Amino acid sequence: MKILVIGGGGREHALCWRLSRDGHTVSALPGSVGISSIAQCLPGSVDDLDGIVKSAQASEVDLVVVGPEVPLVEGLADQLRKAGISTFGPGAEAAQLEGSKSYSKRFFARHGIRSARFFECTNRADVDSAVSALGERMVVKADGLAAGKGVVVCSTSEQARSAAIEMLEEGRFGEAGQTVVIEQRLEGRELSVMALCDGKRYEVLAQAEDHKAIYDGDAGPNTGGMGTVSPPSWASDALITSVCREILDPTVAGLIAEGLDFRGVLYAGIMVDAEGQPWLLEYNVRFGDPETQPVLMRMKSDLGDWLAGAARGTLPEGSIDWDARAAVCVVLASAGYPLTSSKGDPITGVAEAEADEGTVVFHAGTAMGPHGLETAGGRVLGVTSLGENARAAAASAYEAVGHITFPGMQFRRDIGSRGES
Ligand code: AMP
Ligand code: GLY
């Protein structure tokens, strides 16, 4: 198949890598330095929806796979389908499951999906009543998309009140913060469960555990994700069965009942409590980053068949085959991340890191400067390795990381070691 992937981050590099390994002809818009070695990169921007439709038409692709959430929420998948192009990704309405926290929390409530108790607030009086009802530990969320930065996890009611007021009255996060969701803070261990959905049924992908905090031991501010393990050994089959029965089944039934034709990834952010019960924190309507990197390294079935099936409205028969080995992705982030971002720092050692055939270095934020590869800010590379178990995969990934240098490089040293055998 001729497949066009929209986006240019680590997730899209992993999608292009898997699809090209599966024998498809892959192009990406805009792609990246890393993607350019395996796929044709088309000029353009993920914000220019009309331009993307034109490029997809001009290149006569069989399928478009939309990576990031912003164009989905803006209706890219609707526009592409209207132009007769088979597209993997939900339309704007269903993408509200990620695009609006209040929309998604109401959806969970309507369909009996276990999720934290919540209040929607648009003014100070709402905030006061939410805070007095919820006690001390809560989470404050800007309603709209805020590039993963609109969630403040609070330990005191005072922190929560000021985070909410800052969003509502001081315009932090702009439009996205004009409504705020305040919810009960859940405790436990997080799990990312992604499922490919064709609008009627779904196929669960291999699970992954992300590590959101910037420093080892989950210290410091949250990031987009500093590393992932697939599969986390603590995620039992019984837990995944509960996630399917209690979260994914009612979600798909709810989508059908509400007439939402969801063809894309349902990515459930799950909190597993002390009793082992799963709670739904949120849905994303696209692949996780950096979950996609280790998950797709383990996928043995043809990803293109599954994405095309979902886009068509009929997933393939049977189930996806997975490599029984584990995979670990260690993210290398630029100096100052996540508070600031440094660009233009020279990167060395990527080829040496990839010398081991079980390791792939996915590019997330790189550029080609006058002296070669350099950082382009934020998360820069995702060094991903396979191994017999999570510890072995992590050992390979860290060995590969040892070859790579750039000024101010930050990474966690505990990916794949917490509770892994
Ligand atoms: P979200 O964008 O809703 O997934 O939130 C981003 C991150 O904030 C999650 O991955 C969790 O680490 C944290 N978080 C969100 N909601 C809650 C909650 N109710 N309790 C505890 N942590 C949460
Ligand atoms: N890894 C978190 C996300 O993709 O949202």
Side-chain angles (χ1 to χ4, degrees), residues 11 69 98 148 192 194 210-212 223-228 267 282 284 286-292 379:
R11 159 186 56 211
E69 64 276 15
E98 175 166 2
S192 302
M194 298 187 279
D210 191 8
H211 296 71
K212 293 240 163 68
T223 69
M226 291 299 291
T228 29
Y267 157 179
E282 63 156 357
N284 294 313
R286 35 97 192 153
F287 284 99
D289 191 346
E291 286 88 340
T292 304
R379 292 181 290 174

Side-chain angles (χ1 to χ4, degrees), residues 101 116 139 141 151 153 183-186 190 212 222 271 281-282:
K101 303 281 186 202
V139 179
K141 301 181 174 184
V151 173
V153 180
E183 63 182 49
Q184 166 203 7
R185 177 171 166 185
L186 301 171
E190 283 185 58
K212 293 240 163 68
N222 263 2
M271 183 73 86
L281 294 178
E282 63 156 357

Side-chain angles (χ1 to χ4, degrees), residues 45-366:
S45 147
V46 297
D47 307 322
D48 175 12
L49 308 194
D50 293 337
I52 293 172
V53 175
K54 284 194 190 113
S55 288
Q57 282 170 323
S59 16
E60 297 182 334
V61 292
D62 302 304
L63 175 69
V64 175
V65 179
V66 183
E69 64 276 15
V70 172
L72 289 169
V73 170
E74 286 172 356
L76 176 60
D78 304 294
Q79 285 198 31
L80 286 161
R81 283 195 269 265
K82 218 165 135 202
I85 299 162
S86 191
T87 302
F88 181 86
E93 201 181 341
Q96 286 299 301
L97 275 183
E98 175 166 2
S100 163
K101 303 281 186 202
S102 55
Y103 176 99
S104 63
K105 294 292 288 188
R106 287 182 195 185
F107 181 95
F108 306 163
R110 276 199 299 283
H111 299 290
I113 299 167
R114 195 190 299 120
S115 183
R117 190 174 162 220
F118 77 104
F119 293 82
E120 271 179 55
C121 307
T122 54
N123 57 47
R124 225 170 239 261
D126 293 346
V127 172
D128 286 336
S129 43
V131 167
S132 57
L134 287 170
E136 289 296 316
R137 292 169 77 77
M138 23 196 145
V139 179
V140 177
K141 301 181 174 184
D143 185 51
L145 291 179
K149 299 193 177 80
V151 173
V152 187
V153 180
C154 305
S155 301
T156 66
S157 56
E158 211 24 67
Q159 259 180 340
R161 186 178 282 107
S162 46
I165 301 291
E166 208 183 318
M167 290 183 197
L168 287 172
E169 294 182 2
E170 289 158 33
R172 190 168 171 219
F173 309 120
E175 276 282 291
Q178 290 311 292
T179 297
V180 163
V181 167
I182 305 186
E183 63 182 49
Q184 166 203 7
R185 177 171 166 185
L186 301 171
E187 312 293 337
R189 196 155 177 180
E190 283 185 58
L191 182 68
S192 302
V193 183
M194 298 187 279
L196 303 180
C197 183
D198 65 6
K200 302 182 286 291
R201 63 179 203 94
Y202 66 88
E203 168 78 3
V204 175
L205 301 183
Q207 293 80 51
E209 181 180 17
D210 191 8
H211 296 71
K212 293 240 163 68
I214 181 85
Y215 302 128
D216 289 9
D218 294 334
N222 263 2
T223 69
M226 291 299 291
T228 29
V229 177
S230 176
S233 57
W234 55 270
S236 66
D237 290 348
L239 171 63
I240 306 311
T241 303
S242 301
V243 171
C244 291
R245 287 220 187 107
E246 294 163 31
I247 293 172
L248 289 165
D249 288 353
T251 298
V252 174
L255 288 166
I256 294 169
E258 297 191 16
L260 296 169
D261 185 13
F262 194 103
R263 302 176 188 203
V265 187
L266 274 170
Y267 157 179
I270 305 282
M271 183 73 86
V272 182
D273 70 16
E275 280 79 50
Q277 293 295 326
W279 294 68
L280 182 58
L281 294 178
E282 63 156 357
Y283 268 121
N284 294 313
V285 298
R286 35 97 192 153
F287 284 99
D289 191 346
E291 286 88 340
T292 304
Q293 291 83 324
V295 167
L296 293 189
M297 267 189 86
R298 298 184 52 228
M299 185 165 178
K300 284 171 56 180
S301 306
D302 181 339
L303 175 65
D305 277 352
W306 283 86
L307 300 184
R312 218 176 26 241
T314 317
L315 284 174
E317 295 292 320
S319 38
I320 295 176
D321 279 339
W322 297 99
D323 191 322
R325 290 175 294 173
V328 164
C329 172
V330 176
V331 169
L332 309 182
S334 62
Y337 179 76
L339 303 177
T340 59
S341 196
S342 167
K343 293 186 177 165
D345 299 311
I347 305 171
T348 62
V350 171
E352 291 82 347
E354 284 193 308
D356 165 26
E357 66 153 333
T359 296
V360 182
V361 179
F362 294 110
H363 290 230
T366 61

